[in-house]
Amino acid sequence: MTDVRVVVGAAVLDGGRLLAARRSAPAALAGRWELPGGKVEPGETPEEALTRELREELGIEAEPVERIPGEWALRPGLVLWVWTARLVSGEPRPLQDHDALCWLAPEQEHEVDWLDQDRPAVAEAMRRLSGNAYAAGG
């Protein structure tokens, strides 16, 4: 049995918008946009990892809401799972691994160059925003 490690990604939704983060490293990914997140550490649930990563990378407190169905291979042994998340407190700042952030409304989804593996989850998050489930925001 192969050991697959989970990387969590957060579709942070607030006020009818989705948070996008531009990678600053590694060089192969620099300049492309992604959903913020990171690897689940041993002894952590994916939801705990998501909360920790958002605190470390963006300086925010966010609450995982629900997992977006599917998983996407990042490289051998690594898969991406994505949750929608609600911004609880703080103003997102690019503290680690990113050099820029932006909020995108559903009609702006294609204005940034998303990492390929994030595109299906971004599309689903934007569909949910368009359906107004999260448009009220917090």
Side-chain angles (χ1 to χ4, degrees):
M1 181 174 155
T2 53
D3 192 22
V4 175
R5 188 150 181 212
V6 172
V7 173
V8 291
V12 179
L13 306 175
D14 187 55
R17 302 168 306 161
L18 170 72
L19 184 65
R22 189 172 66 192
R23 294 290 312 207
S24 56
L29 303 179
R32 306 261 327 259
W33 293 79
E34 70 173 359
L35 299 171
K39 295 182 184 81
V40 177
E41 299 298 337
E44 236 179 4
T45 67
E47 294 88 346
E48 289 167 344
L50 194 73
T51 301
R52 175 185 52 77
E53 287 285 348
L54 291 172
R55 191 177 299 129
E56 290 172 2
E57 288 188 4
L58 305 176
I60 60 172
E61 292 300 320
E63 176 181 276
V65 177
E66 68 180 311
R67 186 165 163 211
I68 291 178
E71 67 176 39
W72 299 274
L74 300 176
R75 62 176 191 256
L78 276 184
V79 295
L80 175 66
W81 292 2
V82 175
W83 272 259
T84 57
R86 184 177 65 81
L87 180 64
V88 175
S89 65
E91 187 61 40
R93 301 179 314 279
L95 303 176
Q96 207 176 293
D97 301 325
H98 303 103
D99 62 5
L101 303 173
C102 70
W103 289 100
L104 299 171
E107 63 275 10
Q108 298 170 307
E109 175 183 345
H110 302 292
E111 290 183 13
V112 300
D113 184 16
W114 292 101
L115 291 175
D116 295 341
Q117 65 269 16
D118 284 33
R119 289 177 191 271
V122 166
E124 177 58 25
M126 290 299 199
R127 265 194 297 281
R128 292 177 185 203
L129 276 177
S130 294
N132 245 358
Y134 299 92

